Amino acid sequence: MRILDAADPELANAMGLELGRQRNSLELIASENFISLAVMEAMGSWLNNKYSEGYPGKRYYGGNQFIDMSENLAIERAKRLFNAEHVNVQPHAGTQANMEAYFATIKLGDKILSIDLPQGGHLSHGSPVSFSGQFYRIASYSLDPETETIDMDHVRKRAEEEKPQLLLCGYSAYPRTVDFKEFGEIAKDVGAIAMADIAHIAGLIAGGAHPQPFPHMDIVTTTTHKTLRGPKGAMIMCKESLASAVDKAVFPGMQGGPFEQMIAAKAVAFGEALKPEFKGYASQVVKNAKALADELMSLGYRLVSGGTDNHLMLVDLRKKGITGRDAERLLEGVDISTNRNMVPNDPQKPWIASGIRLGTPALTTRGMRESEMREIARLIDAAIANRGDSKKLAAIRESVHGLCAEFPLYPEL
Ligand code: DSN
């Protein structure tokens, strides 16, 4: 920051304020995390300067011999983490990776069977406001209305009825374990491509805290910055038989020059995830989520599906008389960072929503454990219960800052 302080004080000021916000708030957004300084260094490097259209050993520009070394490291490490036969580390973001995966495997107008956004899916899985809902025909499976979990008999029935060309599993707000084996068998039985979007749980999979999608899936996409704790970006993994189609869909199909500084940062993050300590991290994320969920339920909160098996939970706030939007704003006011989220069959529109989504990847990176999670549940409850009392809210904010100070973030910066 010292160089930027002098070169562009205005921008450096905004960045400094954001660092302060991250240090002094409790980050519970399930898709966020804190990257290591090594990942950060690779991202902010001279690798940014190079054009490298193509793939290692086959580039359309000269001077890529060292860039090839870096991209190959990312590919080889990702293969080891996920037992993947082929990996493309060039997708810029999760939605692009999904678009490229569809382009590689199905034709425009083909049918995708996936879960709806309000039930825990993602915009790029078929929402009418996304390219996915406009370029493809979309059919959906839904959560079981009683258990609020995915019932594989229902998925099989829907797959047999709809006969999709692609069956998609993968969620942005589903707190339970995904049965990749059963999804893979259903896809095979109806002649569909089996695809998983593991963006949320990639780090849990890499750390052994969730089952692997391969060999059950044909193609798997993920972002690299959520539980996997890498730079903002994505990748596509697939069976060897799809390798050439995937590579062509990414470049030249959908993208031009790869972001080699981000690919290097992916390599660093994958190297970190291959270390034994990462297993401890992944299992602690899950233990922390369970502790937070249990304490919230004991305080009278209803959790969708009655709890969590992974890093996130969906809190249905209707019983507490506050909407998701208002709870998100209230908690932001005491420096607890969350996001509003629809719950299954939500009567509210997405902008308001009846719930909030909470996740533990970022606070686990900060070193927090189960006792801090229980304390945070009590702070959330106290804020919601005392939402009209500015004195009490100020005291809660002080407690949040006290907790943050015990777990310093980026003390080296
Ligand atoms: N924004 C991501 C999330 O919060 O889950 C999904 O794209």
PDB file of all heavy atoms in Angstrom, residues 185-215:
ATOM      1  N   GLU A 185     -25.772 -41.351 -11.475  1.00  0.00           N
ATOM      2  CA  GLU A 185     -26.502 -42.530 -11.977  1.00  0.00           C
ATOM      3  C   GLU A 185     -27.780 -42.122 -12.702  1.00  0.00           C
ATOM      4  O   GLU A 185     -28.119 -42.667 -13.755  1.00  0.00           O
ATOM      5  CB  GLU A 185     -26.824 -43.486 -10.817  1.00  0.00           C
ATOM      6  CG  GLU A 185     -25.619 -44.345 -10.492  1.00  0.00           C
ATOM      7  CD  GLU A 185     -25.737 -45.082  -9.177  1.00  0.00           C
ATOM      8  OE1 GLU A 185     -26.872 -45.188  -8.634  1.00  0.00           O
ATOM      9  OE2 GLU A 185     -24.686 -45.533  -8.685  1.00  0.00           O
ATOM     10  N   ILE A 186     -28.489 -41.141 -12.132  1.00  0.00           N
ATOM     11  CA  ILE A 186     -29.734 -40.682 -12.775  1.00  0.00           C
ATOM     12  C   ILE A 186     -29.417 -40.094 -14.155  1.00  0.00           C
ATOM     13  O   ILE A 186     -30.092 -40.397 -15.144  1.00  0.00           O
ATOM     14  CB  ILE A 186     -30.473 -39.650 -11.882  1.00  0.00           C
ATOM     15  CG1 ILE A 186     -30.938 -40.320 -10.589  1.00  0.00           C
ATOM     16  CG2 ILE A 186     -31.647 -39.021 -12.626  1.00  0.00           C
ATOM     17  CD1 ILE A 186     -31.485 -39.367  -9.533  1.00  0.00           C
ATOM     18  N   ALA A 187     -28.371 -39.267 -14.217  1.00  0.00           N
ATOM     19  CA  ALA A 187     -28.001 -38.650 -15.501  1.00  0.00           C
ATOM     20  C   ALA A 187     -27.704 -39.739 -16.530  1.00  0.00           C
ATOM     21  O   ALA A 187     -28.179 -39.682 -17.670  1.00  0.00           O
ATOM     22  CB  ALA A 187     -26.791 -37.739 -15.312  1.00  0.00           C
ATOM     23  N   LYS A 188     -26.947 -40.739 -16.102  1.00  0.00           N
ATOM     24  CA  LYS A 188     -26.576 -41.826 -17.028  1.00  0.00           C
ATOM     25  C   LYS A 188     -27.834 -42.543 -17.517  1.00  0.00           C
ATOM     26  O   LYS A 188     -27.989 -42.817 -18.711  1.00  0.00           O
ATOM     27  CB  LYS A 188     -25.677 -42.802 -16.263  1.00  0.00           C
ATOM     28  CG  LYS A 188     -24.819 -43.642 -17.138  1.00  0.00           C
ATOM     29  CD  LYS A 188     -23.736 -44.305 -16.289  1.00  0.00           C
ATOM     30  CE  LYS A 188     -23.115 -45.416 -17.128  1.00  0.00           C
ATOM     31  NZ  LYS A 188     -22.633 -46.503 -16.320  1.00  0.00           N
ATOM     32  N   ASP A 189     -28.752 -42.802 -16.588  1.00  0.00           N
ATOM     33  CA  ASP A 189     -29.961 -43.557 -16.947  1.00  0.00           C
ATOM     34  C   ASP A 189     -30.844 -42.811 -17.950  1.00  0.00           C
ATOM     35  O   ASP A 189     -31.567 -43.435 -18.717  1.00  0.00           O
ATOM     36  CB  ASP A 189     -30.781 -43.884 -15.686  1.00  0.00           C
ATOM     37  CG  ASP A 189     -30.064 -44.921 -14.838  1.00  0.00           C
ATOM     38  OD1 ASP A 189     -29.111 -45.554 -15.344  1.00  0.00           O
ATOM     39  OD2 ASP A 189     -30.441 -45.096 -13.658  1.00  0.00           O
ATOM     40  N   VAL A 190     -30.830 -41.462 -17.902  1.00  0.00           N
ATOM     41  CA  VAL A 190     -31.682 -40.727 -18.849  1.00  0.00           C
ATOM     42  C   VAL A 190     -30.868 -40.161 -20.023  1.00  0.00           C
ATOM     43  O   VAL A 190     -31.384 -39.382 -20.820  1.00  0.00           O
ATOM     44  CB  VAL A 190     -32.497 -39.596 -18.154  1.00  0.00           C
ATOM     45  CG1 VAL A 190     -33.398 -40.158 -17.068  1.00  0.00           C
ATOM     46  CG2 VAL A 190     -31.584 -38.508 -17.588  1.00  0.00           C
ATOM     47  N   GLY A 191     -29.596 -40.519 -20.089  1.00  0.00           N
ATOM     48  CA  GLY A 191     -28.763 -40.087 -21.221  1.00  0.00           C
ATOM     49  C   GLY A 191     -28.382 -38.615 -21.156  1.00  0.00           C
ATOM     50  O   GLY A 191     -28.188 -37.984 -22.198  1.00  0.00           O
ATOM     51  N   ALA A 192     -28.277 -38.061 -19.934  1.00  0.00           N
ATOM     52  CA  ALA A 192     -27.916 -36.636 -19.798  1.00  0.00           C
ATOM     53  C   ALA A 192     -26.457 -36.489 -19.368  1.00  0.00           C
ATOM     54  O   ALA A 192     -25.890 -37.397 -18.756  1.00  0.00           O
ATOM     55  CB  ALA A 192     -28.825 -35.974 -18.749  1.00  0.00           C
ATOM     56  N   ILE A 193     -25.882 -35.347 -19.683  1.00  0.00           N
ATOM     57  CA  ILE A 193     -24.572 -34.971 -19.138  1.00  0.00           C
ATOM     58  C   ILE A 193     -24.773 -34.714 -17.646  1.00  0.00           C
ATOM     59  O   ILE A 193     -25.730 -34.028 -17.251  1.00  0.00           O
ATOM     60  CB  ILE A 193     -24.073 -33.661 -19.812  1.00  0.00           C
ATOM     61  CG1 ILE A 193     -23.778 -33.888 -21.291  1.00  0.00           C
ATOM     62  CG2 ILE A 193     -22.907 -33.043 -19.070  1.00  0.00           C
ATOM     63  CD1 ILE A 193     -22.470 -34.603 -21.593  1.00  0.00           C
ATOM     64  N   ALA A 194     -23.877 -35.250 -16.819  1.00  0.00           N
ATOM     65  CA  ALA A 194     -23.958 -34.997 -15.366  1.00  0.00           C
ATOM     66  C   ALA A 194     -23.011 -33.854 -15.036  1.00  0.00           C
ATOM     67  O   ALA A 194     -21.798 -33.974 -15.228  1.00  0.00           O
ATOM     68  CB  ALA A 194     -23.555 -36.248 -14.598  1.00  0.00           C
ATOM     69  N   MET A 195     -23.591 -32.754 -14.554  1.00  0.00           N
ATOM     70  CA  MET A 195     -22.759 -31.577 -14.246  1.00  0.00           C
ATOM     71  C   MET A 195     -22.978 -31.133 -12.800  1.00  0.00           C
ATOM     72  O   MET A 195     -24.112 -31.109 -12.312  1.00  0.00           O
ATOM     73  CB  MET A 195     -23.125 -30.421 -15.189  1.00  0.00           C
ATOM     74  CG  MET A 195     -22.452 -29.106 -14.818  1.00  0.00           C
ATOM     75  SD  MET A 195     -22.655 -27.850 -16.107  1.00  0.00           S
ATOM     76  CE  MET A 195     -22.331 -26.367 -15.148  1.00  0.00           C
ATOM     77  N   ALA A 196     -21.882 -30.798 -12.133  1.00  0.00           N
ATOM     78  CA  ALA A 196     -21.974 -30.224 -10.777  1.00  0.00           C
ATOM     79  C   ALA A 196     -21.322 -28.848 -10.782  1.00  0.00           C
ATOM     80  O   ALA A 196     -20.272 -28.665 -11.399  1.00  0.00           O
ATOM     81  CB  ALA A 196     -21.277 -31.125  -9.773  1.00  0.00           C
ATOM     82  N   ASP A 197     -21.954 -27.906 -10.096  1.00  0.00           N
ATOM     83  CA  ASP A 197     -21.351 -26.605  -9.827  1.00  0.00           C
ATOM     84  C   ASP A 197     -21.026 -26.623  -8.340  1.00  0.00           C
ATOM     85  O   ASP A 197     -21.927 -26.522  -7.501  1.00  0.00           O
ATOM     86  CB  ASP A 197     -22.357 -25.504 -10.175  1.00  0.00           C
ATOM     87  CG  ASP A 197     -21.838 -24.109  -9.814  1.00  0.00           C
ATOM     88  OD1 ASP A 197     -20.835 -24.018  -9.077  1.00  0.00           O
ATOM     89  OD2 ASP A 197     -22.445 -23.119 -10.252  1.00  0.00           O
ATOM     90  N   ILE A 198     -19.726 -26.792  -8.026  1.00  0.00           N
ATOM     91  CA  ILE A 198     -19.343 -26.973  -6.618  1.00  0.00           C
ATOM     92  C   ILE A 198     -18.778 -25.683  -6.010  1.00  0.00           C
ATOM     93  O   ILE A 198     -18.031 -25.735  -5.031  1.00  0.00           O
ATOM     94  CB  ILE A 198     -18.333 -28.128  -6.458  1.00  0.00           C
ATOM     95  CG1 ILE A 198     -17.046 -27.869  -7.280  1.00  0.00           C
ATOM     96  CG2 ILE A 198     -18.959 -29.468  -6.848  1.00  0.00           C
ATOM     97  CD1 ILE A 198     -15.872 -28.788  -6.911  1.00  0.00           C
ATOM     98  N   ALA A 199     -19.140 -24.540  -6.609  1.00  0.00           N
ATOM     99  CA  ALA A 199     -18.532 -23.273  -6.180  1.00  0.00           C
ATOM    100  C   ALA A 199     -18.533 -23.105  -4.658  1.00  0.00           C
ATOM    101  O   ALA A 199     -17.519 -22.736  -4.070  1.00  0.00           O
ATOM    102  CB  ALA A 199     -19.259 -22.106  -6.842  1.00  0.00           C
ATOM    103  N   HIS A 200     -19.657 -23.398  -4.032  1.00  0.00           N
ATOM    104  CA  HIS A 200     -19.728 -23.146  -2.590  1.00  0.00           C
ATOM    105  C   HIS A 200     -18.916 -24.135  -1.774  1.00  0.00           C
ATOM    106  O   HIS A 200     -18.320 -23.772  -0.764  1.00  0.00           O
ATOM    107  CB  HIS A 200     -21.196 -23.142  -2.130  1.00  0.00           C
ATOM    108  CG  HIS A 200     -21.719 -21.751  -2.003  1.00  0.00           C
ATOM    109  ND1 HIS A 200     -21.705 -21.046  -0.838  1.00  0.00           N
ATOM    110  CD2 HIS A 200     -22.221 -20.914  -2.939  1.00  0.00           C
ATOM    111  CE1 HIS A 200     -22.186 -19.840  -1.027  1.00  0.00           C
ATOM    112  NE2 HIS A 200     -22.510 -19.732  -2.314  1.00  0.00           N
ATOM    113  N   ILE A 201     -18.905 -25.396  -2.209  1.00  0.00           N
ATOM    114  CA  ILE A 201     -18.331 -26.434  -1.340  1.00  0.00           C
ATOM    115  C   ILE A 201     -16.952 -26.924  -1.796  1.00  0.00           C
ATOM    116  O   ILE A 201     -16.420 -27.877  -1.221  1.00  0.00           O
ATOM    117  CB  ILE A 201     -19.309 -27.635  -1.228  1.00  0.00           C
ATOM    118  CG1 ILE A 201     -19.694 -28.142  -2.631  1.00  0.00           C
ATOM    119  CG2 ILE A 201     -20.540 -27.254  -0.416  1.00  0.00           C
ATOM    120  CD1 ILE A 201     -20.544 -29.418  -2.607  1.00  0.00           C
ATOM    121  N   ALA A 202     -16.365 -26.251  -2.798  1.00  0.00           N
ATOM    122  CA  ALA A 202     -15.096 -26.749  -3.353  1.00  0.00           C
ATOM    123  C   ALA A 202     -14.028 -26.930  -2.271  1.00  0.00           C
ATOM    124  O   ALA A 202     -13.303 -27.934  -2.266  1.00  0.00           O
ATOM    125  CB  ALA A 202     -14.595 -25.792  -4.440  1.00  0.00           C
ATOM    126  N   GLY A 203     -13.938 -25.981  -1.348  1.00  0.00           N
ATOM    127  CA  GLY A 203     -12.914 -26.084  -0.305  1.00  0.00           C
ATOM    128  C   GLY A 203     -13.207 -27.234   0.647  1.00  0.00           C
ATOM    129  O   GLY A 203     -12.284 -27.888   1.149  1.00  0.00           O
ATOM    130  N   LEU A 204     -14.483 -27.480   0.889  1.00  0.00           N
ATOM    131  CA  LEU A 204     -14.833 -28.605   1.771  1.00  0.00           C
ATOM    132  C   LEU A 204     -14.445 -29.914   1.093  1.00  0.00           C
ATOM    133  O   LEU A 204     -13.932 -30.837   1.727  1.00  0.00           O
ATOM    134  CB  LEU A 204     -16.331 -28.599   2.107  1.00  0.00           C
ATOM    135  CG  LEU A 204     -16.889 -27.322   2.761  1.00  0.00           C
ATOM    136  CD1 LEU A 204     -18.349 -27.514   3.145  1.00  0.00           C
ATOM    137  CD2 LEU A 204     -16.064 -26.922   3.982  1.00  0.00           C
ATOM    138  N   ILE A 205     -14.696 -29.993  -0.222  1.00  0.00           N
ATOM    139  CA  ILE A 205     -14.333 -31.203  -0.979  1.00  0.00           C
ATOM    140  C   ILE A 205     -12.810 -31.374  -0.960  1.00  0.00           C
ATOM    141  O   ILE A 205     -12.296 -32.448  -0.643  1.00  0.00           O
ATOM    142  CB  ILE A 205     -14.870 -31.104  -2.428  1.00  0.00           C
ATOM    143  CG1 ILE A 205     -16.397 -31.124  -2.430  1.00  0.00           C
ATOM    144  CG2 ILE A 205     -14.313 -32.233  -3.296  1.00  0.00           C
ATOM    145  CD1 ILE A 205     -17.043 -30.769  -3.770  1.00  0.00           C
ATOM    146  N   ALA A 206     -12.093 -30.285  -1.272  1.00  0.00           N
ATOM    147  CA  ALA A 206     -10.628 -30.357  -1.314  1.00  0.00           C
ATOM    148  C   ALA A 206     -10.069 -30.777   0.050  1.00  0.00           C
ATOM    149  O   ALA A 206      -9.082 -31.500   0.130  1.00  0.00           O
ATOM    150  CB  ALA A 206     -10.060 -29.002  -1.725  1.00  0.00           C
ATOM    151  N   GLY A 207     -10.731 -30.349   1.109  1.00  0.00           N
ATOM    152  CA  GLY A 207     -10.255 -30.654   2.459  1.00  0.00           C
ATOM    153  C   GLY A 207     -10.873 -31.915   3.048  1.00  0.00           C
ATOM    154  O   GLY A 207     -10.725 -32.179   4.241  1.00  0.00           O
ATOM    155  N   GLY A 208     -11.588 -32.671   2.251  1.00  0.00           N
ATOM    156  CA  GLY A 208     -12.126 -33.962   2.714  1.00  0.00           C
ATOM    157  C   GLY A 208     -13.360 -33.844   3.595  1.00  0.00           C
ATOM    158  O   GLY A 208     -13.743 -34.804   4.265  1.00  0.00           O
ATOM    159  N   ALA A 209     -14.023 -32.685   3.618  1.00  0.00           N
ATOM    160  CA  ALA A 209     -15.198 -32.526   4.478  1.00  0.00           C
ATOM    161  C   ALA A 209     -16.515 -32.660   3.696  1.00  0.00           C
ATOM    162  O   ALA A 209     -17.598 -32.406   4.242  1.00  0.00           O
ATOM    163  CB  ALA A 209     -15.144 -31.166   5.193  1.00  0.00           C
ATOM    164  N   HIS A 210     -16.431 -33.027   2.436  1.00  0.00           N
ATOM    165  CA  HIS A 210     -17.620 -33.310   1.605  1.00  0.00           C
ATOM    166  C   HIS A 210     -17.175 -34.298   0.534  1.00  0.00           C
ATOM    167  O   HIS A 210     -16.040 -34.202   0.051  1.00  0.00           O
ATOM    168  CB  HIS A 210     -18.145 -32.019   0.961  1.00  0.00           C
ATOM    169  CG  HIS A 210     -19.464 -32.187   0.259  1.00  0.00           C
ATOM    170  ND1 HIS A 210     -19.599 -32.876  -0.939  1.00  0.00           N
ATOM    171  CD2 HIS A 210     -20.719 -31.782   0.596  1.00  0.00           C
ATOM    172  CE1 HIS A 210     -20.877 -32.875  -1.293  1.00  0.00           C
ATOM    173  NE2 HIS A 210     -21.584 -32.222  -0.378  1.00  0.00           N
ATOM    174  N   PRO A 211     -18.039 -35.260   0.119  1.00  0.00           N
ATOM    175  CA  PRO A 211     -17.625 -36.220  -0.917  1.00  0.00           C
ATOM    176  C   PRO A 211     -17.233 -35.547  -2.236  1.00  0.00           C
ATOM    177  O   PRO A 211     -17.697 -34.460  -2.551  1.00  0.00           O
ATOM    178  CB  PRO A 211     -18.886 -37.093  -1.119  1.00  0.00           C
ATOM    179  CG  PRO A 211     -19.720 -36.879   0.095  1.00  0.00           C
ATOM    180  CD  PRO A 211     -19.398 -35.505   0.627  1.00  0.00           C
ATOM    181  N   GLN A 212     -16.379 -36.234  -2.994  1.00  0.00           N
ATOM    182  CA  GLN A 212     -15.887 -35.739  -4.290  1.00  0.00           C
ATOM    183  C   GLN A 212     -16.936 -35.936  -5.393  1.00  0.00           C
ATOM    184  O   GLN A 212     -17.625 -36.946  -5.410  1.00  0.00           O
ATOM    185  CB  GLN A 212     -14.643 -36.545  -4.706  1.00  0.00           C
ATOM    186  CG  GLN A 212     -13.387 -36.233  -3.919  1.00  0.00           C
ATOM    187  CD  GLN A 212     -12.630 -35.025  -4.462  1.00  0.00           C
ATOM    188  OE1 GLN A 212     -13.061 -34.370  -5.426  1.00  0.00           O
ATOM    189  NE2 GLN A 212     -11.504 -34.702  -3.826  1.00  0.00           N
ATOM    190  N   PRO A 213     -17.020 -35.010  -6.351  1.00  0.00           N
ATOM    191  CA  PRO A 213     -17.948 -35.202  -7.485  1.00  0.00           C
ATOM    192  C   PRO A 213     -17.454 -36.232  -8.514  1.00  0.00           C
ATOM    193  O   PRO A 213     -18.258 -36.890  -9.155  1.00  0.00           O
ATOM    194  CB  PRO A 213     -18.039 -33.820  -8.124  1.00  0.00           C
ATOM    195  CG  PRO A 213     -16.836 -33.078  -7.664  1.00  0.00           C
ATOM    196  CD  PRO A 213     -16.404 -33.665  -6.356  1.00  0.00           C
ATOM    197  N   PHE A 214     -16.126 -36.330  -8.727  1.00  0.00           N
ATOM    198  CA  PHE A 214     -15.616 -37.354  -9.664  1.00  0.00           C
ATOM    199  C   PHE A 214     -15.435 -38.657  -8.909  1.00  0.00           C
ATOM    200  O   PHE A 214     -15.070 -38.621  -7.734  1.00  0.00           O
ATOM    201  CB  PHE A 214     -14.268 -36.906 -10.276  1.00  0.00           C
ATOM    202  CG  PHE A 214     -14.421 -35.757 -11.235  1.00  0.00           C
ATOM    203  CD1 PHE A 214     -13.808 -34.538 -10.986  1.00  0.00           C
ATOM    204  CD2 PHE A 214     -15.176 -35.898 -12.399  1.00  0.00           C
ATOM    205  CE1 PHE A 214     -13.938 -33.477 -11.876  1.00  0.00           C
ATOM    206  CE2 PHE A 214     -15.316 -34.836 -13.295  1.00  0.00           C
ATOM    207  CZ  PHE A 214     -14.695 -33.629 -13.021  1.00  0.00           C
ATOM    208  N   PRO A 215     -15.704 -39.819  -9.537  1.00  0.00           N
ATOM    209  CA  PRO A 215     -15.944 -40.029 -10.961  1.00  0.00           C
ATOM    210  C   PRO A 215     -17.411 -39.953 -11.381  1.00  0.00           C
ATOM    211  O   PRO A 215     -17.736 -40.317 -12.496  1.00  0.00           O
ATOM    212  CB  PRO A 215     -15.433 -41.460 -11.171  1.00  0.00           C
ATOM    213  CG  PRO A 215     -15.778 -42.138  -9.882  1.00  0.00           C
ATOM    214  CD  PRO A 215     -15.622 -41.096  -8.816  1.00  0.00           C
TER     215      PRO A 215
END
